Amino acid sequence: MSASGGKMGPSLTQEILSHLGLASKTAAWGTLGTLRTFLNFSVDKDVQRLLRAITGQGVDRSAIVDVLTNRSREQRQLISRAFQERTQQDLLKSLRAALSGNLERIVMALLQPAAQFDAQELRTALKASDSAVDVAIEILATRTPPRLQECLAVYKHDFQVEAVDDITSETNGILQDLLLALVKGGRDSYSGIIDYNLAEQDVRALQWAEGPSTEETWVPLLTQRNPEHLIRVFDQYQRSTGQELEEAVQNRFHGDAQAALLGLASVIKNTPLYFADKLHQALQETEPNYQVLIRILISRCETDLLSIRAEFKKKFGKSLYSSLQDAVKGDCQSALLALCRAEDM
């Protein structure tokens, strides 16, 4: 999780939890996700409940939602395997036949392994030019290195092509270079030592890069330096130039390259706020962007959705839970609210 304004350490977690009235429960929760391992987990009971929900008189959607939104992804995978062993039926296919619309999409996403879900979203985005930049930056820039490598391996297995090949064929220019650099990885790890000289050197490089050297300077810096260092560079850049780094991006770059760099800078500065902004935008559309809502809530509910909720309430003055209640309609509302978990007062 990235920190805002260069502040790091336990105080950030405490600040986030204080917004949620949970500051005294940090040790007990041990996570900034809203969905955690279900302690009284019984795979046999869950299989039986899902079977009754599917085969009973009418589909019991509330039972399906209750089980799948209260189990960790690992537990859901155990349920899926046990369902297959006990019934000789594929749970995902059985639920797909029983459900429809956005609730079906949510349930399918909940039952997929995380890497497969990411790979599918990335592939869909790269093949749809209107969402390639947004989704590619989200997945490539916010996943942990191990999860990203697993996603890329699944991508190759499921689609019989390397992600880098799709990026090369579907994008070009600075955007292509940026995405390929993120796929390659290699971002510096934070050593805990502040290198003031390197920060000043990077600020000067960003400031004075012109012409072709602009891309050659900006892309490696933003994709290879660790976030803690880059936050310091961003702050020093503003002090040196009187201009936010985002303003410089808007002045120097255009189109997809500008959108990608702005998104990456937002991730680096404050990852939970980046997701809060995306959720708010998805909810402000005439018809909520369910694909964005589903992807973010499912991918972040076991990592940092509490942080995202706090940033959402702080910036927009209204809780994410209430916003979902007001904007989302139909069967999928209960599932998305269950992943969000609770109101923030």
Side-chain angles (χ1 to χ4, degrees):
M1 180 177 63
S2 297
S4 179
K7 296 179 181 178
M8 299 299 294
S11 61
L12 177 61
T13 298
Q14 199 71 9
E15 179 186 350
I16 291 167
L17 292 177
S18 69
H19 285 292
L20 308 169
L22 297 169
S24 62
K25 302 181 182 179
T26 309
W29 281 56
T31 175
L32 290 174
T34 56
L35 195 160
R36 297 170 302 284
T37 300
F38 189 64
L39 297 180
N40 297 319
F41 178 57
S42 168
V43 69
D44 290 325
K45 288 182 180 179
D46 286 346
V47 167
Q48 289 302 318
R49 190 176 181 195
L50 288 173
L51 189 59
R52 289 195 300 271
I54 297 169
T55 60
Q57 187 173 7
V59 177
D60 189 346
R61 292 174 178 81
S62 63
I64 295 170
V65 168
D66 186 52
V67 171
L68 297 182
T69 60
N70 283 287
R71 307 295 183 268
S72 67
R73 192 176 287 276
E74 183 180 354
Q75 289 175 325
R76 295 194 297 271
Q77 292 301 303
L78 291 174
I79 292 169
S80 186
R81 288 196 290 270
F83 190 94
Q84 174 77 45
E85 292 170 0
R86 288 157 177 71
T87 68
Q88 305 306 306
Q89 299 175 49
D90 183 276
L91 178 59
L92 193 146
K93 290 181 180 178
S94 298
L95 288 170
R96 178 180 285 132
L99 303 171
S100 62
N102 287 314
L103 181 57
E104 177 191 346
R105 292 171 63 187
I106 292 170
V107 168
M108 296 304 100
L110 285 168
L111 286 172
Q112 285 181 301
Q116 186 179 42
F117 178 60
D118 283 346
Q120 183 174 298
E121 289 289 297
L122 181 59
R123 169 78 170 188
T124 300
L126 289 174
K127 294 299 180 179
S129 58
D130 59 332
S131 62
V133 176
D134 190 43
V135 178
I137 288 294
E138 178 186 323
I139 292 175
L140 299 178
T142 69
R143 303 311 191 241
T144 63
R147 178 164 167 178
L148 179 57
Q149 291 308 308
E150 188 179 358
C151 164
L152 297 174
V154 171
Y155 194 105
K156 180 180 180 180
H157 176 271
D158 286 0
F159 306 117
Q160 298 299 298
V161 63
E162 297 275 6
V164 294
D165 294 331
D166 274 347
I167 291 171
T168 301
S169 64
E170 301 295 336
T171 64
N172 54 61
I174 298 174
L175 173 63
Q176 182 183 102
D177 293 340
L178 185 66
L179 296 183
L180 290 175
L182 290 172
V183 167
K184 183 180 178 181
R187 193 180 284 281
D188 299 336
S189 58
Y190 182 52
S191 66
I193 299 173
I194 299 173
D195 191 334
Y196 293 101
N197 290 332
L198 182 61
E200 291 177 7
Q201 176 183 315
D202 287 347
V203 169
R204 287 195 298 270
L206 292 174
Q207 187 176 354
W208 297 111
E210 298 289 348
S213 69
T214 303
E215 174 188 347
E216 296 169 4
T217 301
W218 283 66
V219 170
L221 274 177
L222 294 182
T223 58
Q224 293 177 15
R225 299 284 196 254
N226 68 73
E228 291 79 5
H229 172 82
L230 286 172
I231 289 169
R232 189 167 295 106
V233 169
F234 293 175
D235 288 342
Q236 288 187 215
Y237 186 93
Q238 182 180 5
R239 288 196 296 271
S240 298
T241 66
Q243 184 182 56
E244 293 270 2
L245 185 105
E246 289 85 349
E247 294 178 63
V249 169
Q250 290 171 336
N251 292 334
R252 291 167 178 255
F253 301 93
H254 305 281
D256 288 344
Q258 180 188 101
L261 286 166
L262 288 173
L264 182 56
S266 179
V267 170
I268 291 166
K269 292 176 74 172
N270 188 333
T271 301
L273 179 57
Y274 162 81
F275 280 115
D277 283 333
K278 292 193 68 170
L279 287 168
H280 185 260
Q281 182 179 355
L283 288 166
Q284 293 305 300
E285 298 181 18
T286 305
E287 174 74 10
N289 189 325
Y290 286 101
Q291 185 172 0
V292 172
L293 296 176
I294 292 168
R295 184 177 63 250
I296 294 177
L297 290 174
I298 289 179
S299 66
R300 310 310 293 187
C301 67
E302 294 187 53
T303 53
D304 60 355
L305 190 50
L306 286 177
S307 306
I308 295 167
R309 277 170 38 185
E311 294 288 1
F312 192 101
K313 178 70 180 292
K314 182 178 180 181
K315 181 170 183 176
F316 303 111
K318 182 178 181 179
S319 73
L320 176 59
Y321 193 90
S322 292
S323 299
L324 288 167
Q325 276 185 317
D326 292 343
V328 175
K329 309 299 179 186
D331 291 338
C332 71
Q333 186 195 64
S334 62
L336 294 180
L337 290 175
L339 293 171
C340 183
R341 230 18 159 222
E343 180 66 89
D344 299 317
M345 305 307 292

